[in-house]
Amino acid sequence: MQTETVAPAYAPGTGDAWVDRQLADINAYAARYPDAFVDELARYAGAHPRYVTALLQEHGWNAGDIYFACVWGQVAGGGCREWVRARTRLPQTGWREVVESRQPAPDNLHWRALRHAIVASFDHWDRPITLDPLLKRQLGDRAQRDAAALKAAASD
C-alpha cells in the first residue's frame, strides 16, 4: 500500500494572521502568474528579476517568503538579499523572529507599510482581497483606492 505524502501547510509566521493569509495567497498567484509576480517585486520592491526567479525556481523558496523579504527590505531597509540571508540563517523560525533578531527593531510603521504594499500588489494584480477593519479605515474599498491612485497620478 502506498501512502500519500502531504506537503506541510505554508506558515510564514509573521505574527499577523492577515499578512500570513495574504502571503499564502501570493504563493497561489505566483504559481499561476510567475512573470507578473517577478515584475511586481522588480517594479515596486526594487528586487532584481533574475534573483527573484532564481529563488523561486532554483532554491525552492515560497513566493510569499520572497515577497516578504523583498517588500520588507523596501520598507525597513536593507534590500531583498539582506532579508533572504537573514531568513536563511534562521530557517526554523518564522518571519517575526527573523525581523526581531535584527537591529534596529521594527516599529509599527514598518508593519503598516508592509500591509499597505500587500494591498497595492493585489490591486495591481486585480486580485480580490479582504481588508481587515483597520486597513479598511486607512485605505477604503477598491473604488476609493482606485480614485486615490488616479488623483495621485494626475498630480504628478
Side-chain angles (χ1 to χ4, degrees), residues 69 72-73 77-87 95 98-99 102:
W72 191 263
C80 187
R81 290 176 193 261
E82 183 176 320
W83 288 98
V84 166
R85 284 191 293 268
R87 178 65 189 256
W95 275 110
V98 173
V99 166
R102 307 290 306 267

Side-chain angles (χ1 to χ4, degrees), residues 90-103:
L90 298 169
Q92 301 304 318
T93 63
W95 275 110
R96 176 163 296 281
E97 290 84 3
V98 173
V99 166
E100 290 176 352
S101 74
R102 307 290 306 267
Q103 293 299 323

Side-chain angles (χ1 to χ4, degrees), residues 57-126:
Q57 296 177 356
E58 298 168 25
H59 298 282
W61 271 59
N62 288 302
D65 290 328
I66 299 167
Y67 186 93
F68 186 93
C70 293
V71 173
W72 191 263
Q74 185 78 9
V75 302
C80 187
R81 290 176 193 261
E82 183 176 320
W83 288 98
V84 166
R85 284 191 293 268
R87 178 65 189 256
T88 301
R89 285 191 294 272
L90 298 169
Q92 301 304 318
T93 63
W95 275 110
R96 176 163 296 281
E97 290 84 3
V98 173
V99 166
E100 290 176 352
S101 74
R102 307 290 306 267
Q103 293 299 323
D107 60 34
N108 192 45
L109 290 177
H110 294 115
W111 290 102
R112 179 179 175 176
L114 171 74
R115 291 164 60 86
H116 286 204
I118 290 170
V119 174
S121 292
F122 277 64
D123 287 351
H124 298 154
W125 295 327
D126 200 23

